[in-house]
Amino acid sequence: MTFTLPTLTDIRSPALTHSLQHKIDNKTKPLGSLGRLESLALQLGEILGTDAPALQDPQLLVFAGDHGLAARGVSAFPSDVSWQMVENFLAGGAAVSVFSRLHNIALTVVDCGVNHDFLAGLPAGSQRPGLQVRKVPGGEQGTADSSAQAAMTALQCQQAIQNGMALVKALPGNALLLGEMGIGNTSAASLLLSRLAGLEIEVCTGAGTGLDASAVQRKTKVLREVLARHPGATTPLDALAAFGGFEIATMVGAVLQAATERRVIVVDGFIASSAVLVAHALQPLVLQACVFAHRSGERGHEFMLQYLGVQALLDLGLRLGEGSGAALAWPLLQSACAMLREMASFESAGVSEKAETQTAQV
């Protein structure tokens, strides 16, 4: 199978950046008074290549997959919760379902390797609204146990990445919001962070779905064993195959394709950021298209954001996943674009600007 990753180019244009900054600075407000909304507006304009950006047909993809490592007790919930939550997404009952409806975001669940047949009992060729099945051959029930062998083969990893690229190519709109579901996937994200950022596994490992302190210690011990089993998995793709889930690998492809198409990528929490971590290791310029929605309450996320050199928009103590934080941050992106397009300038509103010199106080 021929496997070619997209090559990203620098999207920054000094002329456009200057135009955007001039437009922001001359809105009817004190200089810089809209704080981080101004830098967000600048970034969105740069991604979309215009000083009047408009977000269209936002697409939230929830990438779902099971993990063989979950059998080692690294999660507080059984693996069956993965498929049960997918059904909850499809029924519209999950948090991300509610937030997506509220903000008119199209929600699609992608079965990347959940140990369940969501089309069972349906006629051949049938589809379910809001569901895309993109299982990898040999990985229909999820990844292998990474404490015993690589989570996926190199070929499976490549196929998952290609699946993610193909998914995004077929989507409308100019904004992609990232979500995920998979019992055990905080372990995969912690392993990727530890290996690719060179951090101790203790720093990268948190409570996940709600482990207590002793359970986190046991989880950390298991993850240390996994790292020791795969000492040669040091390149981004080798690490992804050794430790990652099918949902993370598919998300890597989606991120790379979205960045190639200059879509705005809204990154959720720890797991979604781990996919960006891998994509960044492959193509550093991917960060130009990424808006990080929030800093998760999951322990490793703060260190992941620091390693990438990025700042998240929100800090609400969220650690649900699903894309819930990305959906919650969405109105901020809409507001930043509306400010650029609709807010008056001093000149257009006939409002006096700040004086160049101010009379000294006596």
Side-chain angles (χ1 to χ4, degrees):
M1 179 178 68
T2 302
F3 180 64
T4 304
L5 290 171
T7 300
L8 301 182
T9 56
D10 192 338
I11 65 174
R12 289 172 298 186
S13 161
L16 175 60
T17 300
H18 177 77
S19 174
L20 282 162
Q21 193 63 62
H22 178 77
K23 191 171 183 179
I24 292 167
D25 290 346
N26 283 276
K27 297 294 185 182
T28 47
K29 60 177 178 58
L31 196 66
S33 60
L34 280 175
R36 292 205 52 220
L37 197 73
E38 297 189 16
S39 58
L40 176 60
L42 181 68
Q43 182 187 9
L44 295 175
E46 288 178 331
I47 297 170
L48 298 176
T50 174
D51 66 357
L55 298 165
Q56 300 168 346
D57 295 321
Q59 306 290 317
L60 199 161
L61 296 183
V62 179
F63 300 87
D66 274 312
H67 294 251
L69 186 63
R72 293 292 306 273
V74 294
S75 173
F77 285 83
S79 291
D80 276 352
V81 170
S82 296
W83 73 261
Q84 292 166 356
M85 280 303 299
V86 168
E87 290 290 359
N88 192 23
F89 298 142
L90 296 174
V96 72
S97 310
V98 173
F99 300 151
S100 295
R101 279 197 304 272
L102 178 65
H103 300 307
N104 296 311
I105 302 167
L107 177 64
T108 303
V109 185
V110 186
D111 175 8
C112 307
V114 179
N115 187 16
H116 189 78
D117 183 358
F118 295 102
L119 302 178
L122 298 177
S126 296
Q127 296 183 348
R128 293 179 63 180
L131 174 69
Q132 290 279 339
V133 178
R134 292 292 185 272
K135 293 179 184 286
V136 171
E140 292 84 359
Q141 297 177 338
T143 60
D145 180 354
S146 59
S147 68
Q149 64 189 86
M152 62 189 95
T153 68
L155 191 62
Q156 288 175 327
C157 184
Q158 293 173 13
Q159 182 62 64
I161 292 173
Q162 288 189 321
N163 285 349
M165 292 168 59
L167 276 165
V168 171
K169 284 181 182 179
L171 289 177
N174 61 7
L176 175 69
L177 292 80
L178 303 177
E180 45 64 39
M181 179 64 219
I183 296 301
N185 63 10
T186 59
S187 292
S190 297
L191 290 163
L192 288 168
L193 175 60
S194 177
R195 181 56 54 85
L196 295 179
L199 298 175
E200 293 296 327
I201 192 61
E202 291 86 354
V203 171
C204 306
T205 307
T209 49
L211 298 172
D212 59 24
S214 61
V216 171
Q217 290 182 343
R218 292 194 299 272
K219 175 182 177 180
T220 304
K221 179 176 181 294
V222 170
L223 299 190
R224 191 180 296 112
E225 294 173 6
V226 175
L227 288 169
R229 186 170 185 86
H230 305 282
T234 56
T235 68
L237 291 181
D238 286 347
L240 181 59
F243 310 126
F246 287 122
E247 81 279 31
I248 296 175
T250 308
M251 204 173 345
V252 169
V255 167
L256 290 171
Q257 184 62 37
T260 301
E261 298 179 13
R262 293 182 69 158
R263 298 183 192 234
V264 175
I265 303 168
V266 188
V267 186
D268 190 38
F270 186 46
I271 316 303
S273 295
S274 75
V276 175
L277 178 73
V278 175
H280 167 263
L282 295 167
Q283 293 282 342
L285 290 173
V286 76
L287 291 185
Q288 291 183 334
C290 292
V291 174
F292 290 81
H294 71 106
R295 184 171 76 97
S296 168
E298 182 65 20
R299 176 177 172 81
H301 196 218
E302 177 180 1
F303 299 102
M304 193 177 285
L305 295 175
Q306 289 177 3
Y307 177 78
L308 291 172
V310 297
Q311 186 177 5
L313 291 175
L314 302 172
D315 188 355
L316 302 175
L318 305 174
R319 55 181 186 86
L320 174 60
E322 305 179 357
S324 53
L328 286 170
W330 180 248
L332 292 177
L333 279 74
Q334 292 178 305
S335 298
C337 289
M339 180 268 286
L340 267 174
R341 294 194 316 272
E342 301 175 23
M343 188 174 172
S345 67
F346 284 105
E347 182 179 6
S348 69
V351 176
S352 299
E353 297 187 56
K354 180 180 178 181
E356 291 295 327
T357 58
Q358 297 195 23
T359 304
Q361 297 290 323
V362 178

